[in-house]
Amino acid sequence: MNDDAIQEANEPADEGADRYNVPALERGLRMLGEFSRENRTLTAPELARRFKLPRSTVFRLLSTLENLGFIERTEGGREYRLGLAVLRLGFEYLAALPLNELGLPLLERLSQASRYPTNLVVRDGRSIVYVAKVSPPSPQSLFASSVNVGTRLPAHATVLGRILLEDLSLPQLRELYPEEHLESFSPNTPRTAVELFDMVQADRQRGYVLGEGFFETNISTIAAPVRDHTGNVVAALGMTVTSGHIDEGRVEELVKEVREAADELSALLNYAPAASGRNVVPLRGRGL
């Protein structure tokens, strides 16, 4: 009888859900949990001490995990570290989460730091749809644009919509907007598909959009693109500033915070800027 069989024979048969546990699988998963930022590498003897298991059992568990790619040996061969299979599981988990669930913690952190409402939107045809929104507990948030999760606004006439149209070619934009003149919502609304295309391509090169009173005269919006593993824009992350004009001293700071939050969400979606070949122009004024 081997070590695993002896140990399992000595373990009491628990009632309820515990009786369905597979001890060897549980030990293997707990072993993966021992690796952390503080313990990036571990040896078999160390793991045997932690789990009070025979070294032969630990070596078999490590060998199984190594064969499956969940751990790998370091260059010296005596220590182990987490393998790429763990990373793949993490990415698959994140990819399975709805976009709003992934983005909400980032919106909350951004809103708390800036004291302004933050939001996440996606495009549905010619409209943008708010999928997440966070408002700070302050009186100024009451003056923000009255949008809620589910609110739809025209993509061509909003800052967030401009972000979501960045990947479209001119023929694709003309197909989306076949009319000669686009519906106007403010003096800032582009009048034709060509004018819209020129605008969003400039936005794309800049890497963000800052619109002061672009859709509503008393509201300013800062927005940046969220990209997935393909490099395509899948959402726009924005901040709503409750004024038609942003204080000059805070512009660069707020733009930086929005871009960083959008980049962090993109990273969660497995976006790799270097791999996509996209170059983002650094901050140079307001870009409008």
Side-chain angles (χ1 to χ4, degrees), residues 40-167:
R40 295 180 182 272
T41 61
L42 292 167
T43 64
E46 172 61 23
L47 289 167
R49 285 193 297 271
R50 292 188 182 198
F51 287 95
K52 298 179 180 178
L53 290 172
R55 290 193 182 186
S56 59
T57 299
V58 171
F59 275 116
R60 280 198 298 274
L61 289 169
L62 290 173
S63 179
T64 301
L65 293 171
E66 185 179 11
N67 290 337
L68 294 173
F70 287 101
I71 61 171
E72 60 187 21
R73 294 175 190 261
T74 59
E75 292 181 4
R78 298 185 68 251
E79 295 183 321
Y80 295 85
R81 62 190 174 201
L82 292 178
L84 289 178
V86 174
L87 190 63
R88 284 196 298 269
L89 275 182
F91 282 139
E92 290 299 325
Y93 168 73
L94 291 175
L97 287 178
L99 186 64
N100 58 334
E101 285 188 25
L102 280 176
L104 194 56
L106 299 176
L107 294 181
E108 290 173 343
R109 189 175 69 196
L110 180 59
S111 180
Q112 184 177 14
S114 66
R115 311 303 296 172
Y116 289 120
T118 56
N119 38 66
L120 189 67
V121 306
V122 297
R123 184 170 67 89
D124 181 21
R126 294 163 57 118
S127 301
I128 63 169
V129 182
Y130 284 74
V131 295
K133 180 182 178 181
V134 174
S135 295
S138 62
Q140 64 177 342
S141 65
L142 298 176
F143 298 97
S145 180
S146 57
V147 296
N148 298 298
V149 172
T151 295
R152 302 172 71 92
L153 294 175
H156 74 282
T158 55
V159 167
L160 293 161
R162 285 162 53 182
I163 291 287
L164 292 167
L165 295 170
E166 285 183 4
D167 287 340

